[in-house]
Amino acid sequence: MKQSKVLPLDNQFIPTELEKKGRGRRFISRPWSTRTFALNGVNLEYYADGKLKDTINILGTTTERLEPHQADNKPFPFVIHLVGGEDLILNASDEDTRARCLDVFNSVSKGETKCEIDNIVAAAAVVNKAEIMRPMR
C-alpha cells in the first residue's frame, strides 16, 4: 500500500488510500481491498480504479482505533461505527494517517465546522513547530 498523509482541505482531505475490509453479512471471511477515500463534507466517499464505489454519511458515527488482532493482524486498523449498527473496518498505511483519520472523521461526525477542524490541525502544527524550535541542551 502506498504511503499517504491525510490533510484537511476545505472540510475534505486529500484523497487517501486505505485498506477496507469487505462489508456484508456473509458467513465467509470478508476480503480486504485497497480503496481511495475522500471526505466531502459529512460524506466519506471511496473509489476503486477511479470510479465511485460508495458514499457513506459519517454524521453521528464514531471512529476508533482497533488493535491488530481485531482486524486480521493489520498494523494500523480503525473502525467507523455507522449509524444503524454496521461497522466499516479500515487500515491505514501508518500511525500518522490513522491518527489524522480518527481526528478528522470524529470531528466531522460531531458536525464540527471547517473552522473547528482547521483549529485542530493548527494546534497540531503549533505543537510540532514548538518541538522543532525548542533549543537543544
Side-chain angles (χ1 to χ4, degrees):
M1 185 162 48
K2 296 176 185 172
Q3 295 291 323
S4 56
K5 300 293 179 195
V6 180
L7 301 172
L9 175 69
D10 258 354
N11 218 17
Q12 300 178 17
F13 62 81
I14 294 172
T16 303
E17 283 191 353
L18 300 169
E19 287 182 285
K20 180 185 96 42
K21 185 160 183 153
R23 293 165 61 192
R25 303 199 187 283
R26 292 182 253 153
F27 292 105
I28 59 173
S29 176
R30 297 178 294 174
W32 289 86
S33 54
T34 300
R35 299 286 184 247
T36 301
F37 285 79
L39 187 61
N40 186 359
V42 296
N43 294 311
L44 183 63
E45 301 170 339
Y46 65 90
Y47 299 80
D49 300 322
K51 295 178 185 171
L52 180 65
K53 295 289 285 183
D54 200 1
T55 300
I56 301 165
N57 184 315
I58 62 169
L59 190 63
T61 64
T62 304
T63 303
E64 64 185 9
R65 177 182 318 265
L66 291 176
E67 294 299 321
H69 73 271
Q70 296 173 293
D72 301 332
N73 292 313
K74 295 290 182 176
F76 305 104
F78 61 100
V79 61
I80 302 174
H81 299 291
L82 303 174
V83 175
E86 190 175 357
D87 288 339
L88 178 61
I89 301 172
L90 302 167
N91 183 61
S93 58
D94 55 58
E95 182 56 40
D96 184 54
T97 300
R98 174 170 64 178
R100 295 252 183 134
C101 286
L102 292 170
D103 288 345
V104 173
F105 294 173
N106 280 320
S107 294
V108 170
S109 169
K110 295 173 191 166
E112 293 179 357
T113 65
K114 177 188 178 303
C115 180
E116 291 166 323
I117 292 170
D118 286 347
N119 288 340
I120 291 168
V121 174
V126 168
V127 169
N128 288 339
K129 184 176 181 181
E131 287 293 316
I132 293 168
M133 302 297 284
R134 187 178 60 201
M136 296 183 67
R137 296 178 189 217

